[in-house]
């Protein structure tokens, strides 16, 4: 399914960020993310935010090159031609990036790969659902006689809401509901294969989402990004419950009792140590592991999550901390920074398209906003020293936990810098002669 963790570092074929270079034995899916440009019918998504930026930098660099050339020819100031040439190349890259945003994104970003090979460029969205499902099913059938790990990262329910004709109009909740119906059908098909191959009682299945609903995704009055119920905020908001509280459904007949509801804070970081334990391995001991195995909680041998604190980030910025006070059962959450909603009472960042993590797009709180999630899961009324007798005690304990947490962090190079975010043609996956990148596996076979 969707990888979206990068592909190449220095050349088009080094595949340094590819799944096969990070422990997986087989990959079929989309190396990048799903954007409106892939469908071609909605308003441009990447282009909208990037076009103005690319064009601004292009103009600035052109002006700088022109000024340097005039100054060099008129002997106004010494400057090497090499510097002017490098600056001109940089301007050309920005110009190409600006130009490509008007139509090439579909051909360059919306692609499918099998292992290191591109199978579709651009991808055929009407066949993607069946292709993904077919690959997952054949993987199970190939590996049914030995232990396997199958990670399916569905393109559902991500905007644009790619839904096949069979499921369009099936839901009472618009296109988003249709997309959920199709996702449900896909998961059902995978579960059916597990049962048919007599793997039901030996297969641990974990279904979850990576974040809450995308509130800013709209088409007219239609909400395209899901709904977060009573919870405040949504996707891209570092701390509000609506962005981080997601479904978690586990199935393992014969081992885990059916119909059990566990109301304890867990994390997607728990998947790794859980899978390692299931496989009979041991997690590395040379580093701090932020996740904990879920098995004792799921099997009922432990009544409480091993997470006393959970740290909620937006990018590299710590926005909120959750404290599960186990002696009282209370769950507190302190917000150090929250996004500035636009309009103010909307509960989302509609004018920006998605909430930022820093700068003038966030409000810093000193003292932090404190909520008692056990009594106020909607985070509607923040507490203060005047309204909560335990305010100072709770904040002191959370502050100490943050200090201890920060000691375990190791700084790494910033991968989301402007340079790293700029499109680089020499890294572009391409199944033809660049920039003419298009192919279709089935057509090639024919």
């Amino acid at each position: 399914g969707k990888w979206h963790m990068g592909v190449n570092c220095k050349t088009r074929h080094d595949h340094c960020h590819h799944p096969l270079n990070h422990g997986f034995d087989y990959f079929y899916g989309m190396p990048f993310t799903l954007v409106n440009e892939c469908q071609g019918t909605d308003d441009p998504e990447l282009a909208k935010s990037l076009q103005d930026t690319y064009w601004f930098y292009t103009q600035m660099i052109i002006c700088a090159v022109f000024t340097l050339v005039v100054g060099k020819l008129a002997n106004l100031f010494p400057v090497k031609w090499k510097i002017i040439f490098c600056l001109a190349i940089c301007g050309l890259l920005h110009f190409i990036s600006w130009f490509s945003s008007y139509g090439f994104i579909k051909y360059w970003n919306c692609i499918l790969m099998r292992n290191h090979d591109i199978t579709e460029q651009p991808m055929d969205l009407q066949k993607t659902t069946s292709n993904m499902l077919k690959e997952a099913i054949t993987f199970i059938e190939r590996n049914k006689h030995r232990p396997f790990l199958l990670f399916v990262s569905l393109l559902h329910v991500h905007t644009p809401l790619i839904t096949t004709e069979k499921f369009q109009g099936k839901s009472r909740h618009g296109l988003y509901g249709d997309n959920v119906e199709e996702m449900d059908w896909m998961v059902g098909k995978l579960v059916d294969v597990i049962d048919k191959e007599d793997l039901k009682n030996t297969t641990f299945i974990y279904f979850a989402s990576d974040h809450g609903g995308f509130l800013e995704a709209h088409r007219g009055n239609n909400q395209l990004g899901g709904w977060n119920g009573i919870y405040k905020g949504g996707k891209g908001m570092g701390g509000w419950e609506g962005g981080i509280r997601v479904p978690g459904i586990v199935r393992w007949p014969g081992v885990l009792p059916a119909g059990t509801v566990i109301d304890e804070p867990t994390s997607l970081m728990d998947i790794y140590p859980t899978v390692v334990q299931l496989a009979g391995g041991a997690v590395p001991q040379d580093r701090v592991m932020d996740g904990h195995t879920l098995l004792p909680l799921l099997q009922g041998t432990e009544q409480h999550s091993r997470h006393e604190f959970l740290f909620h980030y937006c990018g590299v910025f710590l926005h909120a901390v959750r404290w599960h006070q186990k002696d009282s059962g209370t769950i507190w959450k302190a917000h150090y920074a929250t996004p500035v909603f636009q309009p103010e009472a909307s509960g989302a960042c509609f004018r920006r398209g998605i909430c930022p993590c820093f700068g003038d797009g966030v409000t810093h709180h000193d003292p932090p906003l404190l909520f008692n999630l056990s009594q106020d899961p909607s985070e509607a009324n923040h507490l203060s020293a005047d309204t909560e007798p335990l305010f100072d005690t709770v904040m002191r304990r959370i502050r100490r936990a943050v200090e201890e947490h920060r000691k375990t962090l190791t700084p790494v190079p910033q991968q989301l810098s402007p340079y790293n975010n700029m499109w680089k043609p020499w890294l572009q996956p391409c199944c033809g002669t660049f920039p003419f990148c298009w192919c279709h596996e089935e057509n090639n076979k024919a």
Side-chain angles (χ1 to χ4, degrees), residues 224-237:
L224 299 179
W227 181 63
N228 297 318
I230 65 169
Y231 303 112
K232 191 171 186 176
K235 173 185 176 180
M237 303 183 199

Side-chain angles (χ1 to χ4, degrees), residues 324-344:
H324 187 200
Q325 193 178 7
K326 294 182 181 177
D327 55 353
S328 67
T330 306
I331 298 178
W332 306 93
K333 191 159 71 165
H335 288 262
Y336 292 92
T338 54
V340 176
F341 293 145
Q342 300 170 327
E344 190 175 343

Side-chain angles (χ1 to χ4, degrees), residues 17-197:
H17 296 304
H18 192 280
L20 298 195
N21 213 32
H22 290 272
F24 289 92
D25 301 308
Y26 181 80
F27 171 67
Y28 179 81
M30 192 177 189
F32 306 124
T33 191
L34 192 61
V35 289
N36 287 345
E37 283 85 346
C38 295
Q39 195 170 31
T41 55
D42 295 334
D43 292 333
E45 191 171 339
L46 289 178
K48 188 185 290 184
S49 59
L50 290 179
Q51 280 170 356
D52 290 343
T53 305
Y54 282 140
W55 184 236
F56 172 76
Y57 283 118
T58 300
Q59 290 175 309
M60 293 293 290
I61 294 170
I62 289 172
C63 289
V65 169
F66 179 76
T67 304
L68 290 175
V69 169
V70 170
K72 172 80 172 174
L73 295 176
N75 291 319
L76 295 176
F77 42 79
V79 61
K80 294 181 179 179
W81 284 111
K82 186 186 292 184
I83 294 175
I84 297 175
F85 178 75
C86 290
L87 198 58
I89 291 294
C90 189
L92 179 64
L93 284 176
H94 276 87
F95 174 79
I96 293 172
S97 297
W98 169 78
F99 183 78
S100 70
S101 68
Y102 280 92
F104 286 108
I105 287 175
K106 180 175 181 177
Y107 289 89
W108 292 344
N109 272 31
C110 307
I111 65 178
L112 283 177
M113 297 181 78
R114 178 179 287 106
N115 294 327
H116 292 142
D117 300 322
I118 298 170
T119 61
E120 288 184 18
Q121 192 170 16
M123 56 201 281
D124 183 348
L125 295 177
Q126 289 305 309
K127 295 182 179 177
T128 302
T129 296
S130 59
N131 286 343
M132 295 275 188
L133 192 55
K134 182 176 69 175
E135 288 285 338
I137 289 172
T138 54
F139 178 87
I140 294 171
E141 291 171 343
R142 276 201 315 271
N143 293 279
K144 62 186 177 183
H145 297 302
R146 59 177 183 171
F148 65 82
L149 169 69
L150 172 61
F151 172 42
V152 182
S153 183
L154 298 165
L155 298 185
H156 301 59
V157 285
H158 191 290
T159 55
L161 298 164
I162 308 302
T163 310
T164 56
E165 194 173 333
K166 176 182 174 183
F167 285 91
Q168 290 174 12
K170 189 170 183 179
S171 165
R172 293 177 296 167
H173 301 285
L175 187 56
Y176 185 87
D178 296 345
N179 209 242
V180 172
E181 292 272 3
E182 185 165 52
M183 176 183 66
D184 178 60
W185 172 79
M186 291 175 72
V187 173
K189 285 291 184 185
L190 293 175
V191 172
D192 287 346
V193 174
I194 294 289
D195 294 351
K196 181 174 76 78
E197 298 294 347

